[in-house]
Amino acid sequence: MTVPTPAVAGRAAVRTVQGDLAPEALGVCDAHDHLFLRSPRLPGQELTDPEAAAAELAAFRAAGGGAVIQWTPHGMGRGAEELPRLARDSGVRLVVATGLHQAVHYAPEVLARVGTDPAGLFVAELTEGIGDTGVRAGMIKVAGGFHGVDAHARWTMAAAAEAHHATGAVVGVHLEAGTAAEDVVELLCDEHGVPPRRVILGHLNRFPDPGMLRRAARTGAFLAFDGPSRAHHATDWRLPDALRALADAGHGAQLLLGGDTTTAAARSVNGGPGMPHLLRRQRHWLAEVLGPELVTRMLTVNPARAFAAVWPSEGGGRRTADG
């Protein structure tokens, strides 16, 4: 069993479900995945079984994994009450998200319970804990739409920006089919003042247009390529060249890798690729093209920087610095 390395007060830390962690102790990190997930869009494929989650973490750990960032946001069955035990038993550091996904992933009454102050909810989950679990979130997850941002996305992103300014937490964005990266940066960064280095643009593997990727990289945001647990046949084969081009252009420090296991059938313990595939197979395939040093950086140094924040002190007021 691995004991987390505690963070030093006043310094950047990764907020895990077991407490704040020195960033350098994060280890090999799956920067976007799911142990628990429930959505009306995925009937019959919910991730709700704690023992299946434990088995998946054990397989990930056996493949060399050290940390998993769970992007499941508020109201989608995050399993916050289960995560500390799973982290402790597996030796894998776990980070849980606050935030809100697209409206289609919620029953109307769930969004109604959020009320008129989603930012207040996000801040409370980041600083006080999720419900009565005592588990604090370590990132904010929101979502764009297909080639745009709708009214729900604008509402949630405004709240995410407010919560970022209050806490320093990074904002991870689900880009629908990898699109609307520039719209998201304009909204979060230009309109709401979130520093680009505190934004993660997710699912860029799904829309690997070279020009779009260059423009997204030039903003300074982190770029997440996070989908080997899912089938994206039209774009998967483009991933090595896309990453190579970004690294050659000087953006190697912005690149993140994740698995994005969203259904029970996709778990490795059920015969799918699951979390271990990122390390058992994809890491080695990418290393053949990119070299092992860059791939190791994408799995260790980059996520440690992306998810670390200088968190407000206990009982502290609103932050003004971005951390």
Side-chain angles (χ1 to χ4, degrees):
M1 181 171 61
T2 304
V3 178
T5 303
V8 176
R11 296 184 185 175
V14 177
R15 180 150 286 178
T16 79
V17 301
Q18 293 175 285
D20 290 356
L21 181 75
E24 62 271 15
L26 192 64
V28 174
C29 182
D30 177 343
H32 180 166
D33 226 312
H34 303 274
L35 288 165
F36 296 98
L37 179 68
R38 185 176 62 245
S39 167
R41 301 273 287 182
L42 298 170
Q45 285 294 324
E46 297 87 353
L47 300 177
T48 57
D49 183 352
E51 298 317 307
E56 194 73 0
L57 279 177
F60 177 73
R61 181 67 169 166
V68 172
I69 315 298
Q70 177 175 257
W71 283 42
T72 309
H74 177 85
M76 294 186 66
R78 288 169 289 186
E81 68 282 357
E82 298 286 351
L83 295 177
R85 174 184 66 85
L86 292 171
R88 183 172 60 251
D89 292 350
S90 66
V92 177
R93 288 78 155 82
L94 300 178
V95 174
V96 64
T98 186
L100 289 168
H101 209 324
Q102 296 163 329
V104 296
H105 290 287
Y106 299 97
E109 59 269 20
V110 175
L111 290 178
R113 286 197 295 271
V114 172
T116 60
D117 185 22
L121 170 68
F122 301 167
V123 171
E125 292 194 335
L126 289 159
T127 60
E128 301 169 20
I130 295 170
D132 59 2
T133 66
V135 173
R136 294 183 296 185
M139 68 165 292
I140 307 162
K141 187 261 186 71
V142 289
F146 184 58
H147 285 294
V149 286
D150 61 13
H152 176 84
R154 290 183 175 278
W155 179 64
T156 57
M157 289 188 195
E162 185 175 342
H164 159 77
H165 290 304
T167 66
V170 71
V171 181
V173 186
H174 165 100
L175 298 178
E176 185 66 22
T179 66
E182 292 164 276
D183 300 87
V184 165
V185 171
E186 288 175 3
L187 179 59
L188 279 174
C189 304
D190 298 344
E191 186 172 335
H192 290 293
V194 179
R197 66 182 180 279
R198 304 307 294 146
V199 173
I200 301 172
L201 301 172
H203 304 318
L204 289 170
N205 51 294
R206 303 183 193 179
F207 193 71
D209 172 72
M212 184 276 291
L213 292 178
R214 286 194 300 270
R215 291 190 296 274
R218 286 197 293 265
T219 69
F222 281 94
L223 313 176
F225 296 80
D226 42 16
S229 289
R230 306 173 65 180
H232 302 291
H233 302 302
T235 60
D236 283 345
W237 63 277
R238 298 177 180 268
L239 179 62
D241 288 344
L243 292 173
R244 177 78 273 164
L246 289 168
D248 287 347
H251 301 293
Q254 297 166 243
L255 306 177
L256 301 172
L257 299 174
D260 196 26
T261 309
T262 58
T263 64
R267 279 180 161 154
S268 66
V269 295
N270 293 329
M275 291 182 179
H277 180 74
L278 176 68
L279 303 181
R280 275 202 314 236
R281 297 296 183 210
Q282 190 179 58
R283 170 171 56 179
H284 304 295
W285 296 338
L286 290 177
E288 291 180 359
V289 177
L290 308 176
E293 182 178 352
L294 177 58
V295 176
T296 298
R297 183 179 189 181
M298 289 190 286
L299 290 168
T300 57
V301 176
N302 293 357
R305 291 176 49 246
F307 293 100
V310 181
W311 300 95
S313 59
E314 298 294 332
R318 183 180 178 88
R319 288 171 49 93
T320 56
D322 60 69

